[in-house]
Amino acid sequence: DENFDELYNFMWNRTRAIRKDITQQRLCDIKTVTVLETIARFHIFSAYHLTGSANFEQKYNNENLEKTLTSLRHLYDDLSSGEETCKNEAEFRMYYILLNLNSG
C-alpha cells in the first residue's frame, strides 16, 4: 500500500527523533514507557505489513526496533527499582528476546 509506505517513512523519522530526545533528556516515567511501547509496536507492525515492499529496509526498521526495546528494558529496570510496575513489561521483554534469538 503506497499510502502506508509514505506514512512509514514519515513516522520512522519522527519516532527515531522522539526516541533520541527521550534518551538525551533521560526521561524515566510511565508516560515515557507508553510512548516507547507505541513506537515499538509501530516498528513491529511495519515489519509485518511492509515485508516485500520495494522501498522497505528491514535492517533499518529492526535497528530502530532494537534500540527502542533496549531503551524500554532500561526504563523497566529503573522504574522497578522505584517499585513501579509496567503492565506490558513481559510482552516487550519477549519481543526483545525474539528479535535477538539468532544473535548468538
Side-chain angles (χ1 to χ4, degrees):
D1 183 59
E2 284 182 35
N3 291 333
F4 191 77
D5 283 350
E6 290 177 29
L7 174 67
Y8 171 79
N9 291 326
F10 174 80
M11 292 296 296
W12 183 90
N13 185 286
R14 296 308 183 268
T15 57
R16 182 173 170 262
I18 291 168
R19 185 182 46 74
K20 285 185 166 194
D21 282 348
I22 287 170
T23 301
Q24 288 175 346
Q25 295 179 33
R26 299 177 193 248
L27 300 177
C28 184
D29 58 24
I30 297 296
K31 286 182 183 181
T32 304
V33 167
T34 301
V35 168
L36 288 176
E37 288 174 347
T38 302
I39 290 171
R41 283 191 173 107
F42 166 75
H43 287 296
I44 292 165
F45 175 79
S46 297
Y48 168 76
H49 189 72
L50 293 174
T51 295
S53 175
N55 297 325
F56 180 65
E57 293 286 341
Q58 184 77 40
K59 176 184 173 186
Y60 297 126
N61 188 69
N62 284 351
E63 284 175 2
N64 275 299
L65 175 58
E66 182 164 5
K67 289 176 182 177
T68 302
L69 292 172
T70 298
S71 295
L72 272 170
R73 286 178 47 229
H74 294 300
L75 277 173
Y76 293 144
D77 291 343
D78 292 346
L79 290 171
S80 69
S81 68
E83 300 194 22
E84 286 193 62
T85 59
C86 301
K87 65 180 180 174
N88 299 321
E89 181 176 354
E91 173 188 356
F92 285 91
R93 286 191 184 270
M94 185 256 330
Y95 292 143
Y96 182 83
I97 291 167
L98 289 173
L99 189 63
N100 290 289
L101 209 53
N102 293 326
S103 296

